[in-house]
Amino acid sequence: MPYSKTHLRETKAKIVRSARKLFNRFGFDGVTVAQIMADANLTVGGFYRHFGSKSDLYAEVLQCFFTDPGWAGTWKGVHVDLTAADIGPQIVRAYLSRQHLEEVDNPCPMVALPSDVARSDKSAKQAYQVVFKATVDVLQQGSRGVDHQARATALAIAALCVGGMVAARAIDDRALADELCVAATSAALKLGGWNSAGS
Amino acid sequence: MPYSKTHLRETKAKIVRSARKLFNRFGFDGVTVAQIMADANLTVGGFYRHFGSKSDLYAEVLQCFFTDPGWAGTWKGVHVDLTAADIGPQIVRAYLSRQHLEEVDNPCPMVALPSDVARSDKSAKQAYQVVFKATVDVLQQGSRGVDHQARATALAIAALCVGGMVAARAIDDRALADELCVAATSAALKLGGWNSAGS
DNA sequence: TGTACATCAGTGAACGCGCGTTCACTGATGTAC
DNA sequence: TGTACATCAGTGAACGCGCGTTCACTGATGTAC
């Protein structure tokens, strides 16, 4: 019984990490199995000892987005404390930040591959949904809670965050992208009833 | 000088139309040149009489999205009259409608391939930007115009429309997708100061 | 503790399919007389 | 008006590259004695 289970798990995790990075950046078809393995300091052949196919890996990467999404604990440098009073505005600001706009290796998966998921099968969409719902839940908990339609508001804010970042990343003019992020941020804060500063 | 210029143009347009449909549905790598030609009732070989490469076709399809986006005239059954008082809410409602959610062949390009464009080169992003700016302009013109920050509001509403539709299409649960569209619609109307009906 | 063994994670060359692209051709169409 | 011609849009078979996958192997590691 050579090689510990731990070693096996770690190698697999390393492959998933590389795949996540590269899929985010170049999409499913834009990356080869060989590139992923090379990024993980391995060679092609070994791949099939861990995954049945490239598609299986893709599915697993999507799954890992919510097993280890970064939501728990810190996200983009924001310590996500669900009990904090200002968790809502904090998340909105972090999500629509210049940092997230420039993050190329590990942005929020909802931003990195929405059109790919929309074209994929049920399981990919389910994975996307889990992340989306989790986001909405956090936003809802962080809302002022005055209105009984807190959930609708949280849904809209999530859409605004995703849409703002998606569009900003697909736009060529950097100044316009920044303007969009700022506008989306203040609109989201307004919707959430969090307009502490600014009009 | 056989075959009229008209015939040539029409054939090319037919190929672009098929490509647009198929790229929307399956993405750049999910479609073969042969499939596109077959959809246009042609055979593979003829393709290179009209385009230099598959990538060239892709670029042209993106261009055609704003040369003939459907914005001018009618869009998704909405007669886009820029002088109409309620042009803003009309567009928002049409954009986040169940009809647009289900439209699979010819949805708004901003919704169909944002992650593809984000990974593409400058020219693709420029094409995306043109559509986005046009949308923002229409929304801005349709705004009540009371506030001097009409542009920021229009940007946010555009982000909300795109984000709502993108996320709804990447989600598995149809009921949640509908709920999201409704929530995004009312939030967009609220941002635009158009809350004619409902809270 | 040390040594022989068995396992199997990882290697890297080779295979083969799919698809973008090429190419020799065909035949429909517009022009010239 | 009719006919021969030239052009070139469109055909479909073939080519060849890239990449997912396979396979015979190697050698590192844990176990048994």
Side-chain angles (χ1 to χ4, degrees):
Chain A
M1 218 168 277
Y3 287 99
S4 60
K5 289 276 178 196
T6 310
H7 175 91
L8 197 60
R9 259 204 312 276
E10 273 171 9
T11 306
K12 187 167 179 175
K14 209 164 59 178
I15 297 172
V16 169
R17 225 174 301 129
S18 292
R20 173 175 175 152
K21 181 176 88 178
L22 294 171
F23 282 148
N24 259 347
R25 222 198 272 238
F26 306 109
F28 181 77
D29 294 294
V31 185
T32 68
V33 172
Q35 284 171 336
I36 293 167
M37 292 303 275
D39 188 272
N41 287 314
L42 294 161
T43 57
V44 231
F47 179 77
Y48 294 86
R49 224 158 262 287
H50 297 278
F51 302 95
S53 69
K54 191 187 178 188
S55 297
D56 283 4
L57 168 63
Y58 192 65
E60 198 136 336
V61 167
L62 288 177
Q63 294 300 321
C64 107
F65 274 145
F66 68 87
T67 303
D68 169 29
W71 278 118
T74 59
W75 184 74
K76 302 288 164 225
V78 174
H79 180 257
V80 178
D81 176 4
L82 295 183
T83 62
D86 62 342
I87 180 67
Q90 266 195 56
I91 286 182
V92 167
R93 286 207 173 87
Y95 206 100
L96 291 163
S97 67
R98 179 169 282 134
Q99 191 193 345
H100 193 194
L101 180 62
E102 284 166 358
E103 173 71 66
V104 80
D105 284 341
N106 194 25
C108 171
M110 292 194 290
V111 161
L113 18 83
S115 19
D116 309 71
V117 170
R119 281 177 220 125
S120 298
D121 59 1
K122 198 178 173 66
S123 73
K125 291 187 183 175
Q126 284 173 340
Y128 193 98
Q129 185 171 326
V130 170
V131 183
F132 185 78
K133 275 172 111 167
T135 309
V136 171
D137 284 348
V138 173
L139 286 170
Q140 188 173 348
Q141 282 181 41
S143 79
R144 282 281 152 81
V146 236
D147 53 339
H148 43 288
Q149 49 175 342
R151 183 175 158 87
T153 302
L155 280 164
I157 294 174
L160 192 43
C161 286
V162 171
M165 195 42 59
V166 160
R169 280 165 163 264
I171 274 175
D172 182 52
D173 180 0
R174 179 55 195 269
L176 180 59
D178 280 339
E179 194 189 350
L180 170 59
C181 287
V182 170
T185 304
S186 75
L189 295 178
K190 189 175 168 188
L191 284 175
W194 299 312
N195 4 14
S196 41
S199 146
Chain B
M1 217 169 280
Y3 288 99
S4 61
K5 289 276 178 197
T6 310
H7 175 91
L8 197 60
R9 259 204 312 276
E10 274 172 7
T11 306
K12 187 168 179 176
K14 210 164 56 176
I15 297 172
V16 170
R17 227 174 300 130
S18 292
R20 175 175 171 152
K21 183 176 86 177
L22 294 172
F23 281 149
N24 259 346
R25 222 197 272 239
F26 306 109
F28 182 77
D29 294 294
V31 184
T32 69
V33 172
Q35 285 173 334
I36 293 167
M37 293 303 274
D39 188 272
N41 287 314
L42 295 161
T43 55
V44 231
F47 179 78
Y48 294 88
R49 224 158 263 287
H50 298 279
F51 301 94
S53 69
K54 191 187 178 188
S55 297
D56 283 4
L57 168 63
Y58 192 66
E60 198 137 333
V61 166
L62 288 177
Q63 293 299 321
C64 106
F65 275 146
F66 68 87
T67 304
D68 167 29
W71 279 118
T74 60
W75 184 74
K76 303 284 165 229
V78 174
H79 181 256
V80 178
D81 176 5
L82 295 183
T83 63
D86 61 344
I87 180 66
Q90 266 194 57
I91 286 182
V92 166
R93 287 208 172 85
Y95 206 98
L96 291 163
S97 67
R98 179 171 281 134
Q99 192 192 346
H100 194 194
L101 179 62
E102 283 166 358
E103 173 72 66
V104 79
D105 284 341
N106 195 24
C108 171
M110 292 194 290
V111 161
L113 18 83
S115 18
D116 309 73
V117 170
R119 280 176 220 126
S120 298
D121 60 359
K122 196 178 174 66
S123 73
K125 291 188 184 177
Q126 284 173 340
Y128 192 99
Q129 185 171 325
V130 169
V131 184
F132 186 78
K133 274 173 115 168
T135 308
V136 171
D137 284 349
V138 173
L139 287 169
Q140 188 174 349
Q141 280 180 43
S143 79
R144 283 278 155 82
V146 237
D147 52 339
H148 42 288
Q149 49 173 343
R151 183 175 159 85
T153 302
L155 282 163
I157 294 174
L160 191 44
C161 286
V162 171
M165 197 41 60
V166 160
R169 281 163 162 264
I171 274 175
D172 182 52
D173 180 358
R174 180 55 194 270
L176 179 59
D178 280 338
E179 194 189 350
L180 170 59
C181 287
V182 170
T185 304
S186 74
L189 295 178
K190 188 174 168 189
L191 284 175
W194 297 313
N195 2 14
S196 41
S199 145

